[in-house]
């Protein structure tokens, strides 16, 4: 079916992608629930949901890319994309704030609280110091017997900071290339960014392995472990998404997509990448360092 | 629009007919306050309510006047005025001032409510699913307080008593005119300790101790309920406080201590089957029947049956362990901290030889003791 | 609504395909509204079961656990399934028409936002039949009670996740539409108030839905992956959940009410034949309410045992919200003042809204006073408070809006007599239903209990009777709507004498694509 352009604003024709996406979400959520609760077949439902989601994403974005390349989107559509991408990133910021808030709360309120006043009735001898403020292995919580060693900031995490910051530079450099119409610079910059992203993910994976096998630092290691893995884990997940998006736009750049004056997809990915970068700085300071 | 009046009139009179005859029984406000705090809350609420009524009358008086006089059907022509900064400022400022007037006394009351210093009596109160434990820290007296309304009344098979759902086997007892400080915590989920006549409500949060205080100024029995959803029997964990004179309170404490000493003697004793079964039935009905049901059939999908249960008919150790430690991550609590060895021994014996099971073996307090960490 | 769909040459596919694949804001709006109606019926029936159980003391028709499941699902579904989708339905239908846009900014994503809702509804309904039954913790999902549940607890967490995704996408769409697609000359300060309130609501949604997602994610990992966010043994705190939940939860209640304010602000001027008294101050008041709503959350937690300074701060901040809300109430009354008033059904519901919402606001203020809330918290007084703001607030505004715009949407006039009956029956039975609950709460009846002491019997009985009448009255509305879609007197373009706004410049029903070329706004 043909799509209409109304006063220049592109209005897409009816589409099956959204219902497909909803079915995917249904499969994902139902499958995840069954899987977590060890119901037979849950894993398959989960996988099916995931496959549908990937199909939907490829199909939908593919269509959008096609429309964009055909020049169906005018300036107003482009501005709309910008508004919504910015507010989408804002929603992501709020998602991370929930976990940063939890970190602040357990660190500044609940841990010290458990060690003071009448709470000593329940947890005699608990000192309430934040694990990373002590040297060596510490107890995971007032009621937990296991011990663990917190993650040091000035090893891999510091390197990862450097890596992500440089990837912010390379993606900007690629953007300059795009704006100058220098496609080689664009592709080279994106390649470098993807490589740095992959390196970051690899190091993060290594760090997790180290935490689990040698430090005794697990999801179950008290609130330190909980906040550590939730924050770094969701961040790592976002880096992974960002890297996939970077790979896609790298491919599109090689295929000759984007024009110096209109390349919203590129910008959206780079905004996202910078956002991931900024979150990491927060992590580095509040999770690893202080 | 002319003939719309009959309906509301009819309905209103219907309602009035329903509601008014027994108005004397209808309690429209807080129960009579029995502490200074409750009295102040009562007065403040009445005062604030009248302020609100006053504002309502003024604002909606104006609106209904407009509805009456400025209708199109009486020929009123719309005036087109709008926007007036002066008016907007006025109706921003006046409510603000009213709020300040309301907040001022509230501030003083909060500070008083929060002042738990210098208590005469300190009681640790622990919420369990679905009962309260009172621990008189200075006197070494500690007991559980459980709903005592019989099941038949709840299931409409018997006439409901006057204190239906607001009665317990062993009430909390406090002296009159003394500052009582409560240290509240919970064993499993969040509960809240609330006695309306005392004007005190405080959540009991597992892993944390919170405090609250009251000074009851009149001898008597006061009733309240758990005020935080805590699972299926949240509606069935009342609080009863008996306020006694100083002398009666002392006598009660002594009696309690004597009873505790006697119970301590049980620990090493060897009981007969009949003794264990009788005691076990009591413990079972007070502690286990809420989930596993009085007949041991459980609720499929939620609470397993004891009748024919693999654990209740298998090795003794596993069964005692289940009673002592429970099963973390499920609703099955560990009763180790709440029940003494004799009680656990009795209830396990009861589950193994009653409720349709018949393993034939007895569990003695010593068996339980051996399995306690 | 069917007839005109295809008259436009390039119209939509027919049958179910049309609804599954549509990218038209009106179709999507219609689906949102029907979905909301179905969920309102479903959660309303649960409320009927609750009221039946509470009709007299003793356990009558269900187990205590099932009662808690009903309470929980009633709350969750009413909030996320009925009120929010209904408001989104209005947004879809009205915003493009009111600002002179051809459609929503992202029509495909718009469709997705809607079609996620049935998926979430399936999950919630499924949770009722899984072993162990649905979530029974109350819609507030507090741990550690939440830790004790079975498989449906995880299912509910995921349902909340995708509901959040739906709301966020809908909000992105709405914000972008409003900021980017207004007709030439439609400056921000010329936008109809309904559009303004939705713009602000969409910001609230984008800010707090992710926080709710975070909160339930922590529940999920605490339940399944060994984290200790809400477990003191690992250094966490059950109260942390309450903080995160209410950081979402309080703004959420304004998410439910701000669009309602918007609808009422459209209706009152129309039937007063007089412009809104203070347009600018209404906009500022809405924004103030939204901003303040981020700083008051712990008024739901006065009994958790926070320090006195905490109580004082949250009490003052909460009380402050009465000021901008008062500005709104005063402005509505001033708009009516010296107007030329008529009382068709939309206006009746709007006036009912203003007066009853204010009662709910006043009880809110009483609850905001921390020392009094100590007595009231978790009692039926709170239940009464929030039904005054939700039922005679949000829901009445939805009714008002449906009656107001139904002729525009369908091209037919609805049955005014039945509409009036619907109003009067609802208004009276609503008060019979919820007014006595104030007394119950003060006398000491806790909420979320399936059985109660004898002293509460009379008022509960009255309340239940009011409830049954209220529920039955809603059937009237269903009848009115169906009749109106099927046929009836032809509606003019300007349905209401003197109604102002772009939506009244197009025929009733409007063409499939309302504004092919943007109208000029002076
Ligand atoms: C639409 C939804 C909605 C709205 C608009 C409100 C509005 C308000 N709410 Fe309500 N509230 C809920 C929905 C809502 N609430 C829900 C669902 C719960 C329970 C959640 C749960 O636990 O399940 C709840 C619970 C709740 C509590 C917690 C009670 C408890 O659990 O102990 C409190 C306490 O402060 C509170 C306060 C307020 C206040 C101060 C307002 C204010 O915004 C009201 C302001 C309005 C007015 C005051 C009236 C108009 C003003 C004037 C005419 C001006 C002049 C007035 C004066 C100067 C007095 N609400
Ligand atoms: C917007 C939200 C909303 C709405 C509209 C309602 C509507 C109603 N509520 Fe609800 N309620 C909540 C939100 C809402 N509630 C919340 C958040 C809670 C707290 C939950 C918790 O504690 O966790 C709660 C809790 C709650 C309780 C306390 C339960 C407890 O503590 O155990 C009670 C008890 O009386 C109650 C009753 C009712 C009744 C009788 C209605 C009636 O108004 C319902 C009437 C409607 C019907 C009966 C539907 C019939 C309709 C038709 C037949 C026609 C269909 C129409 C079309 C298709 C167009 N509610
Ligand atoms: Cu204990 Cu409710
Ligand atoms: Cu609130």
């Amino acid at each position: 079916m043909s799509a209409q352009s109304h006063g220049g604003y592109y209005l897409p024709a009816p589409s099956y992608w959204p219902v497909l996406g909803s079915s995917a979400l249904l499969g994902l959520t139902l499958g995840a629930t069954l899987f977590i609760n060890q119901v037979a077949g849950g894993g398959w439902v989960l996988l099916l949901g995931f496959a549908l989601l990937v199909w939907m994403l490829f199909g939908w974005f593919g269509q959008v890319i096609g429309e964009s390349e055909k020049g169906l989107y005018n300036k107003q559509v482009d501005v709309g994309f910008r508004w919504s991408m910015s507010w989408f990133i804002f929603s992501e910021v709020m998602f991370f704030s929930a976990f940063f808030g939890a970190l602040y709360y357990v660190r500044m309120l609940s841990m010290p609280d458990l060690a003071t006043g009448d709470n000593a009735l329940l947890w005699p001898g608990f000192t309430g110091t934040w694990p990373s403020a002590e040297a060596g292995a510490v107890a995971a919580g007032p009621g937990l017997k296991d011990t663990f060693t917190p993650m040091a900031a000035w090893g891999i995490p510091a390197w990862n900071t450097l890596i992500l910051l440089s990837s912010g530079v390379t993606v900007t450099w690629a953007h300059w290339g795009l704006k100058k119409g220098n496609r080689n610079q664009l592709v080279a910059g994106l390649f470098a960014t993807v490589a740095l992203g992959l390196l970051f993910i690899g190091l993060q994976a290594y760090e997790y392995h180290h935490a689990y096998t040698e430090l005794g630092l697990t999801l179950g290691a008290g609130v330190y472990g909980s906040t550590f893995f939730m924050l770094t884990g969701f961040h790592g997940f976002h880096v992974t998404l960002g890297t996939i998006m970077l790979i896609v736009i790298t491919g599109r750049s090689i295929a000759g997509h984007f024009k110096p004056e209109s390349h919203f997809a590129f910008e959206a990915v780079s905004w996202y990448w910078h956002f991931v970068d900024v979150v990491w700085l927060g992590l580095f300071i509040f999770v690893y360092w202080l | 629009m002319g003939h719309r009046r009959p309906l509301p009139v009819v309905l209103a009179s219907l309602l009035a007919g329903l509601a008014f005859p027994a108005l004397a029984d209808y309690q429209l406000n807080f129960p009579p306050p029995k502490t200074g705090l409750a009295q102040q809350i009562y007065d403040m609420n009445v005062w604030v309510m009248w302020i609100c009524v006053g504002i309502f009358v003024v604002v909606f008086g104006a609106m209904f006047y407009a509805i009456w006089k400025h209708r199109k059907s009486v020929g009123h022509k719309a005036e087109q005025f709008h926007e007036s900064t002066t008016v907007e400022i006025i109706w921003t400022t006046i409510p603000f001032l009213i709020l300040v007037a309301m907040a001022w006394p509230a501030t003083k009351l909060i500070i008083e409510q929060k002042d738990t210093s210098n208590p005469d009596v300190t009681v640790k109160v622990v919420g369990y699913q679905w009962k309260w434990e009172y621990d008189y820290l200075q006197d070494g007296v500690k007991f559980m307080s459980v709903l005592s309304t019989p099941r038949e009344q709840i299931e409409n098979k018997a006439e409901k008593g006057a204190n239906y759902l607001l009665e317990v086997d062993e009430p909390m007892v406090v002296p009159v005119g003394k500052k009582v400080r409560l240290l509240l915590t919970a064993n499993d989920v969040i509960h809240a300790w609330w006695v309306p006549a005392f004007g005190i409500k405080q959540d009991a949060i597992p892993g944390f101790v919170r405090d609250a205080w009251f000074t009851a100024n009149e001898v008597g029995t006061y009733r309240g309920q758990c005020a935080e959803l805590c699972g299926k029997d949240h509606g069935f964990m009342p609080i009863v406080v008996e306020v006694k004179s100083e002398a009666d309170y002392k006598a009660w404490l002594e009696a309690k201590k004597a009873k505790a000493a006697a119970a301590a003697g049980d620990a090493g004793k060897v009981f007969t089957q009949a003794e264990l079964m009788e005691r076990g039935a009591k413990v079972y009905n007070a502690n286990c029947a809420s989930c596993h049901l009085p007949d041991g059939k459980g609720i499929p999908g939620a609470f397993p049956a004891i009748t024919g249960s693999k654990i209740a008919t298998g090795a003794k150790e596993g069964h005692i362990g289940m009673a002592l430690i429970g099963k973390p991550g499920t609703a099955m609590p560990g009763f180790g901290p709440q029940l003494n060895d004799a009680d656990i021994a009795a209830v396990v014996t009861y589950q193994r030889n009653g409720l349709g099971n018949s393993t034939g073996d007895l569990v003695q307090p010593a068996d339980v003791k051996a399995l306690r960490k | 609504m069917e007839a005109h769909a295809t008259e436009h040459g390039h119209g939509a596919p027919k049958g179910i395909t049309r609804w599954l694949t549509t990218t038209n804001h009106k179709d999507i709006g219609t689906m949102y509204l029907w979905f909301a109606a179905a969920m309102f019926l479903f959660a309303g029936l649960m409320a009927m079961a609750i009221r039946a159980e509470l009709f007299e003391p003793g356990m009558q028709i269900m187990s205590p656990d099932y009662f808690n499941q009903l309470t929980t699902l009633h709350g969750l579904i009413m909030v996320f399934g009925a009120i929010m989708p209904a408001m989104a339905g209005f947004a879809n239908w009205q915003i493009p028409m009111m600002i002179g846009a051809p459609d929503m900014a992202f029509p495909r994503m718009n469709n997705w936002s809607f079609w996620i809702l049935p998926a979430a509804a399936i999950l919630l309904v499924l949770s009722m039949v899984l072993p162990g039954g649905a979530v029974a913790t109350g819609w507030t999902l507090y741990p550690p009670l939440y830790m004790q549940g079975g498989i449906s607890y995880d299912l509910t967490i995921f349902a909340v996740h995708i509901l959040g995704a739906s709301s966020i996408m809908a909000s992105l769409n709405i914000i972008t539409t409003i900021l980017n697609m207004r007709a030439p000359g439609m400056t921000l300060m010329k936008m109809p108030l309904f559009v303004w309130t939705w713009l602000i609501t969409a910001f609230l949604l984008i800010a707090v839905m992710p926080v709710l997602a975070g909160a339930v994610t922590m529940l999920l990992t605490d339940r399944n992956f060994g984290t200790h966010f809400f477990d003191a043994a690992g250094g966490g705190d059950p109260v942390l959940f309450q903080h995160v939940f209410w950081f979402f939860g309080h703004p959420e209640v304004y998410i439910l009410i701000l669009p309602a304010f918007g609808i009422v602000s459209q209706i009152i001027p129309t039937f007063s034949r007089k412009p809104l008294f203070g347009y600018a101050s209404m906009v500022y008041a809405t924004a103030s309410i939204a901003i303040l709503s981020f700083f008051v959350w712990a008024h739901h937690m006065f009994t958790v045992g926070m320090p006195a300074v905490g109580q004082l701060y949250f009490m003052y901040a909460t009380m402050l919200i009465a000021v901008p809300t008062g500005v709104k109430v005063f402005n509505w009354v001033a708009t009516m003042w010296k107007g030329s008033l008529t009382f068709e059904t939309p206006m009746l519901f709007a006036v009912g809204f203003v007066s009853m919402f204010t009662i709910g606001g006043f009880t809110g203020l009483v609850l905001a006073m921390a020392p009094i809330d100590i007595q009231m918290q978790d009692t039926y007084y709170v239940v009464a408070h929030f039904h005054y703001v939700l039922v005679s607030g949000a829901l009445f505004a939805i009714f008002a809006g449906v009656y107001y715009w139904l002729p525009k949407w369908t091209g037919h006039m609805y049955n005014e007599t039945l509409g009036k009956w619907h109003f009067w029956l609802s208004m009276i039975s609503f008060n019979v239903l919820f007014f006595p609950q104030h007394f119950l709460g003060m006398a000491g009846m806790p909420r979320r209990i399936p059985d109660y002491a004898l002293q509460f019997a009379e008022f509960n009985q009255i309340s239940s009777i009011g409830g049954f009448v209220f529920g039955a009255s809603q059937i009237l509305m269903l009848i009115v709507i169906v009749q109106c879609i099927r046929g009836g007197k032809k509606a003019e373009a300007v349905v209401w004498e003197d109604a102002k706004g772009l939506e009244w410049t197009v025929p009733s029903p409007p063409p499939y694509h309302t504004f092919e070329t943007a109208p000029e706004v002076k």
Side-chain angles (χ1 to χ4, degrees), chain B residues 72 76 83 88 164 201 210, chain C residues 277 304 339 377 451 497:
Chain B
K72 193 182 175 201
H76 195 271
E83 311 291 338
E88 300 284 354
Y164 177 69
K201 181 186 290 142
R210 297 292 155 87
Chain C
F277 179 76
V304 297
Q377 197 268 343
D451 191 6
E497 179 188 316

Side-chain angles (χ1 to χ4, degrees), chain C residues 208-502:
Chain C
V208 301
M209 288 313 280
V211 176
L212 176 66
V216 295
T217 304
M218 289 188 259
L219 276 184
L220 186 77
T221 58
D222 263 20
R223 280 174 57 79
N224 298 295
F225 305 113
T227 57
H228 292 94
F229 289 105
F230 310 129
D231 179 3
D237 186 349
V239 175
L240 166 60
F241 178 84
Q242 302 185 14
H243 281 289
V244 187
F245 180 88
W246 288 115
F247 184 83
F248 146 82
H250 187 79
E252 169 69 18
V253 306
Y254 294 105
I255 287 166
L256 300 171
I257 206 69
L258 292 185
F261 288 169
I263 294 173
V264 168
S265 304
Q266 300 300 128
I267 292 174
I268 290 184
T270 298
F271 295 95
S272 305
R273 292 165 182 78
K274 193 164 157 279
L276 198 61
F277 179 76
Y279 174 89
S281 60
M282 285 292 232
V283 172
Y284 300 141
T286 313
S288 316
I289 293 172
I291 292 166
L292 281 174
S293 76
F294 285 109
F295 305 102
V296 302
W297 73 89
H299 64 220
H300 296 272
M301 304 163 57
F302 282 142
T303 60
V304 297
M306 61 178 119
V309 278
Q311 299 220 342
L312 288 174
Y313 162 72
F314 283 108
M315 174 175 83
Y316 299 148
T318 306
M319 291 174 76
L320 215 52
I321 299 193
V323 174
T325 317
V327 168
K328 308 213 79 149
V329 172
F330 301 140
N331 269 296
W332 289 319
V333 174
T335 305
M336 289 168 67
W337 188 255
K338 300 215 163 151
S340 175
L341 301 167
T342 55
F343 294 93
E344 288 85 348
T345 314
M347 183 62 167
L348 286 175
F349 272 111
V351 172
F353 169 93
V354 177
S355 48
M356 294 297 111
F357 170 81
T358 303
I359 295 183
F362 284 149
T363 54
L365 200 67
V366 172
L367 293 171
M369 309 210 23
I372 304 181
D373 185 66
I374 299 295
Q375 282 286 42
M376 307 289 206
Q377 197 268 343
D378 253 315
T379 67
Y380 262 82
Y381 191 91
V382 177
V383 176
H385 156 66
F386 67 71
H387 283 96
Y388 266 82
V389 282
L390 284 171
V391 178
S392 61
L395 190 64
F396 273 20
I398 289 170
F399 290 165
V402 166
Y403 285 109
Y404 186 55
W405 283 306
L406 200 56
K408 171 60 58 187
W409 297 340
T410 61
H412 304 295
M413 292 308 289
Y414 62 86
N415 183 329
E416 188 67 53
T417 317
L418 279 187
K420 289 213 169 81
W421 272 89
H422 176 220
F423 169 74
W424 283 109
L425 279 170
S426 296
M427 180 74 177
I428 292 165
S429 58
F430 164 79
N431 279 290
V432 179
L433 164 55
F434 289 114
F435 205 76
Q437 294 187 358
H438 294 112
F439 305 132
L440 284 173
M442 285 198 279
M445 178 166 165
R447 61 193 278 207
R448 297 167 171 169
I449 59 173
D451 191 6
Y452 49 81
L454 300 182
Q455 76 208 67
F456 309 127
E458 288 80 8
F459 279 135
N460 265 302
Q461 210 156 76
I462 297 176
S463 174
S464 287
I465 293 171
F468 301 144
V469 179
F470 185 85
S473 317
Q474 305 319 311
I475 296 170
L476 276 182
M477 176 160 95
L478 192 62
I479 296 174
V480 174
I481 293 175
V482 172
Q483 271 186 354
C484 184
I485 292 172
R486 289 257 185 92
K489 206 178 111 225
K490 188 92 193 67
E492 309 285 315
V494 185
V495 173
W496 309 107
E497 179 188 316
D498 212 26
K500 301 264 177 358
L502 285 179

